[in-house]
Amino acid sequence: MTDPTTGNAGLTKLAGDPRASLESLRAEIAKAVVGQDPAVTGLVVALLCRGHVLLEGVPGVAKTLLVRALASALELDTKRVQFTPDLMPSDITGSLVYDTRSAEFSFQPGPVFTHLLLADEINRTPPKTQSALLEAMEERQVTVDGTPRPLPEPFLVAATQNPVEYEGTYPLPEAQLDRFLLKLTIPLPSRENEIDVLTRHASGFDPRDLRAAGIRPVAGPADLDAARAAVAATTVSPEITAYVVDICRATRESPSLTMGVSPRGATALLSTARAWAWLTGRDYVTPDDVKALALPTLRHRVQLRPEAEMEGVTADSVINAVLAHVPVPR
């Protein structure tokens, strides 16, 4: 099976099924974004699992455009927050505003009150503001002045970040990284895809006008609800559960890591493998499904030792080594 985050893998299309609607997202988003099918698949998996996504890549690889196109194709409300060093938590969650006419305070909702929140360059703001999203991501509510306020459903945070070596970035706290279901890397386009991008722009494509690009809604919240119910009915054998646990426990014993995958990470891997199994047209999970989602689900949940990092070891290489050594159930 092809890794959905590193290569193209055809989704099984069944007429009259929510799977067909979600599959059509690829063709629709491709009208605006070139060559990012793996990232689209990752975002769909996150929606099915009610999780959040961290998108990492250098500036200018269409991370923001990808999220906006997804929201348009799913007919979901979306809002964008540009994270800057002077951004305050209340700029995200909202705050109480004094109304001089009524002589009372009223709540002014922040941009987090939407279906799909694009947190652009999240690692350019200090940890205090980054953590403002923690309650929203985990509890799907925000508390202002002691009053909890529920967020719309579905709700997904798609946060983009520049590679940490870039100047002016703040590494995300481990607690917040663990709240992201997937970390997807957005690579530079191939030469052919880059030519396609420039050709489109030369023909008048405007990334700020998705309607003119021809993107139309092909799925919606009802499709997501039906799909989530189908994913929940996907069978997971005891052998697959044990395989997931063995993979995560093996990361905790790796000499290259100071921190392995937590039980929350194991739960996340089981959930994403289940969603991927359903997307590929099966009602049961296989070891290949677990392997396919291991990198995007686990790469941000491990911490390298400084000496290993200096030797060129990466989180992906450690996870791949674990997958190669943990016995696969038959």
Side-chain angles (χ1 to χ4, degrees):
M1 178 177 296
T2 305
D3 182 338
T5 67
T6 58
N8 295 333
L11 304 184
T12 305
K13 185 170 184 177
L14 302 177
D17 188 89
R19 186 186 292 113
S21 298
L22 295 181
E23 179 191 355
S24 61
L25 287 173
R26 285 187 167 185
E28 206 62 27
I29 293 173
K31 295 176 182 178
V33 182
V34 178
Q36 295 295 356
D37 282 357
V40 174
T41 301
L43 286 164
V44 172
V45 166
L47 282 167
L48 291 176
C49 298
R50 302 181 83 243
H52 309 285
V53 177
L54 186 61
L55 302 170
E56 182 176 276
V58 299
V61 290
K63 299 186 295 294
T64 301
L65 179 61
L66 172 64
V67 174
R68 290 180 53 240
L70 175 69
S72 295
L74 281 173
E75 205 169 13
L76 296 176
D77 293 331
T78 182
K79 292 179 182 176
R80 175 180 178 272
V81 178
Q82 179 66 51
F83 280 69
T84 57
D86 60 348
L87 195 73
M88 299 296 292
S90 59
D91 294 330
I92 300 170
T93 61
S95 58
L96 295 177
V97 178
Y98 184 73
D99 188 339
T100 56
R101 289 173 296 181
S102 63
E104 294 180 347
F105 285 94
S106 61
F107 178 65
Q108 184 66 37
V112 74
F113 287 87
T114 187
H115 291 129
L116 203 163
L117 176 67
L118 175 58
D120 216 354
E121 296 189 304
I122 189 174
N123 61 336
R124 288 206 180 276
T125 200
K128 178 180 179 180
T129 304
Q130 292 172 1
S131 64
L133 283 175
L134 274 176
E135 182 186 13
M137 294 169 67
E138 185 69 17
E139 306 295 335
R140 297 179 183 273
Q141 67 176 28
V142 295
T143 302
V144 178
D145 197 35
T147 303
R149 303 175 190 274
L151 297 172
E153 181 63 37
F155 173 70
L156 179 143
V157 173
T160 71
Q161 72 169 10
N162 297 321
V164 294
E165 339 34 277
Y166 273 55
E167 290 186 16
T169 60
Y170 300 83
L172 292 176
E174 286 81 4
Q176 184 159 5
L177 279 173
D178 205 33
R179 261 65 175 191
F180 285 101
L181 181 72
L182 299 171
K183 179 182 177 182
L184 306 176
T185 55
I186 310 297
L188 289 166
S190 65
R191 181 175 182 274
E192 291 74 17
N193 284 340
E194 196 163 359
I195 289 174
D196 191 0
V197 170
L198 268 63
T199 301
R200 293 187 182 195
H201 280 264
S203 301
F205 171 71
D206 183 357
R208 291 172 292 275
D209 189 356
L210 296 180
R211 182 171 304 219
I215 294 183
R216 60 185 177 83
V218 293
D223 296 293
L224 285 176
D225 288 341
R228 286 170 174 173
V231 169
T234 302
T235 302
V236 180
S237 69
E239 293 78 13
I240 293 296
T241 302
Y243 182 50
V244 170
V245 169
D246 289 343
I247 290 172
C248 296
R249 290 181 68 87
T251 64
R252 301 169 202 164
E253 299 170 1
S254 171
S256 298
L257 301 177
T258 59
M259 182 181 72
V261 178
S262 69
R264 179 188 287 135
T267 302
L269 180 55
L270 189 62
S271 297
T272 56
R274 209 176 190 183
W276 176 242
W278 178 81
L279 277 172
T280 51
R282 282 177 285 100
D283 61 357
Y284 59 92
V285 181
T286 69
D288 283 342
D289 298 324
V290 176
K291 291 181 179 180
L293 273 297
L295 284 180
T297 308
L298 304 181
R299 59 164 56 111
H300 56 298
R301 302 175 192 271
V302 299
Q303 194 170 76
L304 289 168
R305 292 187 182 278
E307 55 270 27
E309 201 165 1
M310 291 177 63
E311 293 172 0
V313 176
T314 64
D316 284 13
S317 65
V318 173
I319 294 169
N320 280 326
V322 166
L323 292 175
H325 287 90
V326 173
V328 179
R330 298 184 179 276

